[in-house]
Amino acid sequence: MELLQQFSEKYMKENVPSVRVGDTVRVHIRVKEGSRERIQVFEGTVIAKKHGGVEESFTVRRISYGVGVEKVFPLHAPTIEKVETVRRGKVRRAKLYYLRDRVGKAAKVKEDL
């Protein structure tokens, strides 16, 4: 058990961003295209967090051109440059999968003050 813990600590980031379910976040991802590298931004609502430790991940959902797009980001991945919290959401669920069925204003999350 101790060996596994030492192995996972080696790959964990020191300054982990505070990501909660219901938050609207802006994720900056390092994308490699051929020999070039660039930063791509994905902004949306966090609808789920899973696992813990080195394999911790969170799911971000947004509506792009009328189509719902969800991406799962590993929290400790080296390709994630930074995660900015745009606004805090007030929710009463651990998973917001019900937002998949909602469209427009019904899919909004109340802001936590």
Side-chain angles (χ1 to χ4, degrees), residues 56-103:
E56 187 173 352
S57 63
F58 60 99
T59 306
V60 181
R61 178 178 175 83
R62 70 179 288 183
I63 306 296
S64 180
Y65 298 105
V67 179
V69 179
E70 290 183 10
K71 279 191 173 184
V72 180
F73 297 103
L75 194 61
H76 297 283
T79 55
I80 293 185
E81 200 66 34
K82 66 179 175 177
V83 179
E84 295 178 65
T85 303
V86 177
R87 66 185 212 121
R88 291 272 182 207
K90 182 181 180 189
V91 292
R92 298 171 68 176
R93 301 278 178 275
K95 306 281 192 271
L96 304 181
Y97 295 144
Y98 64 88
L99 291 179
R100 293 173 175 165
D101 302 327
R102 298 192 179 183
V103 183

Side-chain angles (χ1 to χ4, degrees), residues 2 17 68 111:
E2 188 178 306
E111 189 167 2

Side-chain angles (χ1 to χ4, degrees), residues 44-57:
T45 306
V46 178
I47 63 167
K49 279 182 72 175
K50 288 188 176 181
H51 310 297
V54 77
E55 64 265 358
E56 187 173 352
S57 63

Side-chain angles (χ1 to χ4, degrees), residues 1-12 54-55:
M1 191 66 183
E2 188 178 306
L3 186 66
L4 185 64
Q5 194 172 16
Q6 287 175 349
F7 178 76
S8 63
E9 282 178 2
K10 187 169 65 172
Y11 293 103
M12 290 177 72
V54 77
E55 64 265 358

